[in-house]
Amino acid sequence: MLFLGMANAYVMRTNMSVAIVAMVNQTALPKAEEAVDEECGAVGSANASAVFNDPEEDGEFMWDTQTQSFILSSFFYGYVLTQIPFGIMAKKYGAKYFLGVGMLVNSVFGLLVPVSARWGTLPLSIVRFVQGLGEGPIVPCTHAMLAKWIPPSERSRLGAFVYAGAQFGTVISLPLSGLLSRYGFAGGWPSIFYVFGAVGTAWSIAFLIWVHEDPDVHPRIRDAERKFITGSLGGEKNEQTPPIPWMSVLKSMPFWAILVAHMGQNYGYETLLTELPTYMKQVLHFSIKHNGTLSALPYLAMWIFSIVVSVVADWMTWHKGVSLTRTRKLLNSIGMFGPALSLVAASYTGCSALLTVALLSMGVGLMGGTMSGYRINHLDISPRFAGILMSLTNCIANVFALLAPLIAGFIVEGKPTQAAWRVVFFISAAVYAATACFYLVFASGDVQEWDDPDKDAYQAVEVGVNGQEARRRSRRDSQLEQAETQLQSP
């Protein structure tokens, strides 16, 4: 359910970028002269056929580029605004209802997009803003629920599987939105929002009915399984959760390692998936955005690779004895140094659009390694506060990523040459490499001392520190051994 929820979230996030092409009357809009480069031949020669407006496919709205940007960005403002507040509230009141109701709001307001668009750009932007507000809790609340349900031995593959729903949703959304905009009911593009809005609404209702906050409140789970999950996570039923240790979090270098890696990955992701296609259009005269298959290819590569590498991560840690810290650092390095090298290589592809697409797909695909790197690392260092930590890093990283198009626009404004774009790609590669190195130095896979469930649960068992530690561990290990034995029995 969390995998499908993440897929729905990214469908609702990306479908407007496809639909707006069909909503706008491209032919009737005044054409501003776009700066292009002729190092790879004249615009009308090599790949110009890929960039083509069919008057019969034009939409009904006269929105210029600035208006379109305002509409598309309105979702983001709502999304960022609710990250941290809902991350904190989910810790206090539970994540299930914030996640389910948030997605329900997102989906229901998605159904209102067609009618609000015909009322005007302001009503449409308000609807998209509210959708963003509803989607804000999704990532931190998902992290909070994973922290309550996934034993450490399954954390990499199940966590990566859930978050890979984002790529799966994008792979589904891009081509299907294109098909619906051309052949769908209700005039084409409105069917995009009706179909995905209905699917999201159905998922939200099913989630609120069938999914439970944690193993302790699940009515049908086996007692042995409940004990195994809660025991492996170091928790006890009805355990009092202490206040959020803000100062300890801010002093924690493993937390800063995750935050810095998240910022670097988001910056590079923005460059790979928004700026590289612009480079291909301006310099190589090829528009990947007008090809649904090619648009979805990088996301498909990332989805597949993230699933494969997550299985390897758990195998390395729990079967080969590699420390969790080393596993996280290794896979995160693949997920960040790989795209960095791809960006550097893409700046030297000359006039080969095919090779650039291949590098784009490879770079984004390798990024799937971060799903078993920093992305799931919050759960390692602080299982009980993972949702809050994710809300902090996700919010800051999304804001930081806004620098990517701003810096790229400043560098190539009026002079989109290969040399200028090479500077853009080198900056992104440097951000990737620098943040990956920071993670390599300071990351950890160990539960931090400010989030030690055993310490809170058993701090009064023994007076002596060493005796208390031994008593805590023996009680927890005994509980796990008993639960494992019961799980093995028929």
Side-chain angles (χ1 to χ4, degrees):
M1 289 299 290
L2 288 174
F3 167 81
L4 293 175
M6 194 62 63
N8 275 321
Y10 271 74
V11 164
M12 304 304 290
R13 186 174 178 173
T14 59
N15 58 12
M16 175 59 84
S17 62
V18 178
I20 203 166
V21 176
M23 296 168 71
V24 174
N25 190 326
Q26 307 285 350
T27 305
L29 284 177
K31 298 291 188 297
E33 181 151 354
E34 181 182 18
V36 293
D37 180 63
E38 295 191 355
E39 291 174 279
C40 294
V43 179
S45 58
N47 298 304
S49 59
V51 187
F52 172 67
N53 291 327
D54 185 352
E56 293 184 3
E57 297 179 11
D58 277 331
E60 56 195 275
F61 302 105
M62 297 290 293
W63 296 334
D64 57 23
T65 303
Q66 187 174 0
T67 303
Q68 293 178 48
S69 298
F70 177 73
I71 293 169
L72 290 170
S73 63
S74 57
F75 181 97
F76 173 81
Y77 296 127
Y79 177 71
V80 170
L81 192 63
T82 51
Q83 290 274 317
I84 297 175
F86 279 107
I88 295 172
M89 287 192 290
K91 181 60 189 171
K92 186 173 183 180
Y93 301 108
K96 169 187 171 179
Y97 288 103
F98 289 118
L99 200 164
V101 174
M103 181 59 75
L104 184 62
V105 169
N106 187 3
S107 302
V108 170
F109 273 79
L111 296 169
L112 299 178
V113 167
V115 64
S116 64
R118 288 169 177 139
W119 287 347
T121 55
L122 183 59
L124 174 59
S125 298
I126 292 173
V127 166
R128 289 291 292 172
F129 175 77
V130 174
Q131 282 191 272
L133 291 176
E135 187 157 322
I138 304 303
V139 171
C141 288
T142 295
H143 232 54
M145 293 198 74
L146 290 176
K148 297 174 182 178
W149 276 100
I150 300 183
S153 60
E154 303 173 21
R155 189 170 285 159
S156 291
R157 62 182 181 273
L158 292 184
F161 174 79
V162 166
Y163 281 108
Q167 282 68 53
F168 177 78
T170 307
V171 168
I172 296 296
S173 173
L174 290 176
L176 187 55
S177 293
L179 289 172
L180 288 172
S181 67
R182 185 159 188 170
Y183 305 109
F185 58 91
W189 66 263
S191 64
I192 297 174
F193 302 100
Y194 293 141
V195 169
F196 291 133
V199 170
T201 301
W203 177 89
S204 302
I205 295 171
F207 181 86
L208 290 169
I209 293 173
W210 291 328
V211 173
H212 299 274
E213 183 71 29
D214 56 51
D216 286 332
V217 298
H218 199 294
R220 294 178 300 278
I221 192 172
R222 287 174 60 195
D223 187 56
E225 185 179 3
R226 178 186 291 110
K227 288 180 179 178
F228 175 74
I229 294 174
T230 56
S232 66
L233 297 173
E236 277 199 347
K237 190 172 182 178
N238 301 321
E239 178 187 326
Q240 291 275 336
T241 300
I244 302 167
W246 290 113
M247 290 306 299
S248 297
V249 170
L250 295 177
K251 292 177 183 177
S252 174
M253 291 311 296
F255 166 73
W256 282 99
I258 296 171
L259 173 59
V260 170
H262 203 156
M263 292 168 66
Q265 192 269 343
N266 271 34
Y267 185 96
Y269 192 78
E270 258 330 279
T271 301
L272 275 166
L273 291 178
T274 62
E275 298 309 314
L276 196 52
T278 303
Y279 162 77
M280 294 176 66
K281 182 179 179 182
Q282 290 184 340
V283 176
L284 305 183
H285 317 312
F286 179 88
S287 179
I288 192 172
K289 292 181 180 179
H290 285 72
N291 188 312
T293 303
L294 289 180
S295 297
L297 191 59
Y299 300 99
L300 180 62
M302 185 176 179
W303 177 46
I304 294 172
F305 185 71
S306 65
I307 298 298
V308 172
V309 83
S310 68
V311 176
V312 174
D314 279 340
W315 174 78
M316 288 172 58
T317 304
W318 301 101
H319 293 279
K320 290 300 179 181
V322 181
S323 72
L324 198 54
T325 299
R326 289 186 176 182
T327 300
R328 295 283 180 249
K329 289 181 177 181
L330 172 63
L331 299 180
N332 196 75
S333 296
I334 293 172
M336 297 189 75
F337 286 118
L341 292 174
S342 295
L343 279 166
V344 172
S347 65
Y348 289 103
T349 54
C351 297
S352 174
L354 182 62
L355 183 56
T356 307
V357 171
L359 287 169
L360 168 64
S361 301
M362 183 177 72
V364 178
L366 289 174
M367 210 182 297
T370 61
M371 294 290 184
S372 297
Y374 84 85
R375 187 82 176 187
I376 207 72
N377 200 191
H378 311 72
L379 297 172
D380 302 321
I381 68 169
S382 178
R384 289 182 299 173
F385 302 112
I388 295 169
L389 300 188
M390 173 55 92
S391 70
L392 287 169
T393 64
N394 198 42
C395 178
I396 295 170
N398 272 280
V399 173
F400 181 73
L402 291 176
L403 291 175
L406 294 177
I407 291 174
F410 175 78
I411 293 173
V412 304
E413 180 67 31
K415 53 179 189 307
T417 61
Q418 290 191 29
W421 275 105
R422 191 169 294 129
V423 173
V424 174
F425 297 153
F426 269 65
I427 290 173
S428 294
V431 170
Y432 259 131
T435 54
C437 287
F438 189 92
Y439 187 87
L440 268 176
V441 174
F442 296 108
S444 173
D446 300 325
V447 177
Q448 300 301 292
E449 60 181 10
W450 41 267
D451 184 353
D452 183 354
D454 290 331
K455 180 178 178 181
D456 294 324
Y458 307 122
Q459 59 184 352
V461 171
E462 298 279 354
V463 176
V465 175
N466 293 331
Q468 176 186 339
E469 179 70 17
R471 182 72 177 275
R472 288 206 312 265
R473 294 300 174 190
S474 64
R475 285 184 61 179
R476 178 179 173 184
D477 292 344
S478 176
Q479 181 189 37
L480 278 175
E481 289 170 7
Q482 182 181 10
E484 286 176 337
T485 301
Q486 291 178 11
L487 279 173
Q488 302 288 334
S489 64

